[in-house]
Amino acid sequence: TLNEGNDYYEKMNIVTDKIVAKINNKSNLDYDHIVGVPYGSIPLAGVVSNKLGKSLLFVRKEEKNYGTQQLIEGNYEIGDSVILIEDVITFGTSILEIVEKIENAGLLIAGIISVFNRETGSIHDIMKKCGVSVDCIYNISKIGNYLCMNKKIDEFDYEKIVSSIAIEKKL
């Protein structure tokens, strides 16, 4: 599995290095914090924030009724901007929920980066609603094509991937 031994850390470094490179290649990108879309992207966001030397904010899916009772944990000020890190974009629901919470707290969205795009057409909806770019590291069609060309999957499996993209875009 992915969590076994050094392989996990190597893969985490490859992915987070690609995210950091995407962020650093945007010369006009101004941001103060990194946020991982709960909950799967939080480890990625933690590593990215460390590599960039930026603080990590933690946005809860729901407000706690004990302790600080904060929806967003971390040191920030109204008007600060964040980059959202997502692991997989399918329909964009999780991102839009977190964007609303971040904006309600007085923070701005500077950009969104996803590791994997399932190519359902939701990226355009997210960009339209948030007014920021959405960058992806990997796309399902390119991965499917790569796997097929390198004989890791057969034509039948590749066609299933391609047809699933077309079906999901119509939904």
Side-chain angles (χ1 to χ4, degrees):
T1 65
L2 183 63
N3 292 335
E4 291 181 10
N6 289 335
D7 195 37
Y8 170 79
Y9 300 106
E10 289 171 22
K11 288 176 182 168
M12 177 68 87
N13 272 321
I14 289 168
V15 170
T16 55
D17 284 347
K18 287 180 180 284
I19 294 170
V20 167
K22 282 263 189 208
I23 293 169
N24 286 336
N25 286 336
K26 292 181 165 270
S27 58
N28 61 343
L29 190 60
D30 185 29
Y31 64 99
D32 303 296
H33 312 281
I34 302 293
V35 174
V37 176
Y39 288 104
S41 302
I42 293 171
L44 287 169
V47 174
V48 168
S49 71
N50 187 49
K51 288 182 177 191
L52 291 168
K54 295 286 187 172
S55 64
L56 177 69
L57 300 181
F58 178 82
V59 180
R60 298 180 185 285
K61 282 190 173 185
E62 61 284 323
E63 214 169 290
K64 321 189 300 188
N65 56 7
Y66 59 91
T68 62
Q69 298 182 345
Q70 302 230 359
L71 198 56
I72 300 177
E73 299 286 349
N75 294 322
Y76 66 91
E77 295 185 21
I78 292 175
D80 283 357
S81 59
V82 305
I83 293 178
L84 286 178
I85 307 293
E86 175 64 298
D87 54 358
V88 178
I89 293 178
T90 302
F91 297 111
T93 309
S94 297
I95 290 174
L96 294 175
E97 288 172 1
I98 295 306
V99 164
E100 181 179 358
K101 291 174 182 178
I102 288 170
E103 289 177 340
N104 286 343
L107 295 164
L108 307 169
I109 307 298
I112 300 169
I113 298 178
S114 177
V115 174
F116 191 75
N117 177 11
R118 297 230 5 235
E119 298 182 83
T120 59
S122 59
I123 285 184
H124 299 293
D125 295 336
I126 295 167
M127 288 193 301
K128 198 159 120 179
K129 290 177 182 172
C130 299
V132 298
S133 68
V134 178
D135 294 296
C136 297
I137 307 299
Y138 303 106
N139 293 308
I140 192 168
S141 60
K142 288 182 182 175
I143 290 174
N145 188 43
Y146 172 84
L147 292 172
C148 187
M149 302 266 304
N150 289 284
K151 309 284 189 236
K152 304 291 183 188
I153 61 173
D154 60 28
E155 284 283 330
F156 179 76
D157 287 334
Y158 175 69
E159 288 302 323
K160 286 195 314 190
I161 292 170
V162 171
S163 65
S164 75
I165 294 168
I167 290 169
E168 288 182 12
K169 282 186 177 179
K170 290 179 185 176
L171 295 177

